[in-house]
Structures are given as structure tokens and as C-alpha cells.
Amino acid sequence: MSASGLVTGRISPRDVQHKTFFHELGHVLRHVGDQRQISELFQQMQEADAERFSLYAAIPFFMLEKLQLPAFEEEAAGIVATVFQVPPEFALLRLKQIRERIASAEFMTAFTYTAVAKENTLPYTTTPEPIIRGVYGLDDLSRPHTLIIEQRGGFKWDQPLYIEVNGTFKSVDVHPNSNRNSAVVRSSDLLIPPSRSGYVMIDMERIASRHGQNANKLFLTIEALEDAINF
């Protein structure tokens, strides 16, 4: 056992295979094309998407919440790793992800209640409404698999961006190699405002910390959006 409390010397090949299986399954179920022929940004987006898929698929929240876990996070990760047959570090990452989501939701709820008067009288942002289009797959034309977000006049990187996600989106075709000056929105970049139904808030400062402030287009997968809503 390491100093952090995680069992790092007893990771079985089966645990690693289990994690790898769900990562590769994410590629099979959600991605098309040859990664050798797409841009580096799309490769990164696919890898991040597959890794996020593996977290949710290997350790589903509806199963995890049924476990009685100790308060000590590293100890809890060891139990989760054993139950779900994944590496302890992978289980710890999932637990931290859930903890951050809960903390963010609690913070947003507290902020909403303490500032409800201001929220009822002040706009969320002074910037124009963003332009949102959808990328649809041939296998499912009922909803897009990715939203492409643009902002008239450019993004305000020091302000959160609120986007409406209910409704339909105009279709747009995106070539894998035509995504310069773009950034990928992760589920961890999203918060659900309790008092603004149908909207999500994008933490633009988090995106800027990864990609800089040159992006003029954001890619938000529907799976990332659903992950933010459903944990």
C-alpha cells in the first residue's frame, strides 16, 4: 500500500484489461474514421471522450451509490476498485469526479438562494446569445451527437457562458481537418444552474486554461452534456 492509502502494487492484469476494454468500447460505439487521418484536436477529443466513457461505463453511478463506502477517499477507492475490478487510481479518479460534481452543485445551489433577488433582476451575461449548431450522425438524425458553439464578437474568457440546450439545432457539417482555433468542452467544464431551466453554464476560464484564448469555436458532445446532468 502506498503512502496515499491506495494499493498500487497489486493491480491485476484483469483490472487493467477491464479498464482498457471500456475505453476501446467507447471508441467502437462513439467514433468513426481512422485516427491516423484526422487532426490532432479530433484525436484528443476522441481520446478524452473514450476515457470519460470508460469512467461511466466501468463504474456506473447508479451502482456506485448503492455501496456503503468509508469517508476516507483513498480507502473508498480501494473498495470500489475491488468491486468493479478496475485499477485503484481509476476508481479514485471516478470518486473525485463525483465529489467535485456534488460540491459544484451545492455551491451553485447556495449561490442561487443567497443571490436570488439579484438573479431575478440582472442578466446572466451582457454578451449576445451564442450561435449553436448540431452535428448529426447518419445512424441517428433525431438529435445531434455534438454541439458546435460560436459567439458573435468572440468569447468572453473571463465570464461563464450560458447556453440553452433544450430544443432543436440547425445541422452543420464539420470536416475533421477544419477545426483550427477550436476547443473541446468537457463535462467537468459544465454546471447546471438550478434556477435557469434548460440551460447549462460553461466555465470559460477552465477551457482557456487548457486551450488558451484563441478558440473561436467550441465542441460540446451530447454525452458530455448528459454526463454533467446525470453525474
Side-chain angles (χ1 to χ4, degrees), residues 16-77:
V16 176
Q17 290 174 358
H18 197 200
K19 172 185 177 298
T20 303
F21 167 79
F22 282 108
H23 179 97
E24 297 304 324
L25 180 63
H27 284 302
V28 172
L29 295 179
R30 298 152 73 97
H31 304 145
V32 296
D34 188 340
Q35 279 198 339
R36 296 170 298 181
Q37 299 179 5
I38 64 177
S39 69
E40 183 179 355
L41 177 62
F42 260 69
Q43 290 180 30
Q44 294 174 357
M45 184 170 69
Q46 287 188 352
E47 286 301 316
D49 183 64
E51 190 65 17
R52 178 169 44 80
F53 174 87
S54 68
L55 276 173
Y56 289 87
I59 311 176
F61 181 75
F62 78 93
M63 297 176 64
L64 184 62
E65 66 178 344
K66 297 178 181 179
L67 299 180
Q68 295 292 328
L69 298 175
F72 188 51
E73 199 169 56
E74 282 76 11
E75 183 180 352

Side-chain angles (χ1 to χ4, degrees), residues 118-178:
K118 294 183 179 180
E119 288 188 351
N120 288 334
T121 58
L122 297 179
Y124 280 83
T125 177
T126 58
T127 57
E129 286 293 319
I131 302 171
I132 307 175
R133 298 183 177 91
V135 181
Y136 294 79
L138 295 178
D139 57 334
D140 186 2
L141 298 177
S142 63
R143 69 169 191 167
H145 59 74
T146 301
L147 300 180
I148 298 180
I149 306 163
E150 298 176 273
Q151 181 73 62
R152 297 182 181 90
F155 293 114
K156 304 294 184 182
W157 296 103
D158 59 344
Q159 300 177 14
L161 178 65
Y162 290 85
I163 63 170
E164 186 175 8
V165 294
N166 287 344
T168 58
F169 301 95
K170 183 178 179 180
S171 176
V172 62
D173 294 326
V174 178
H175 192 277
N177 295 314
S178 63

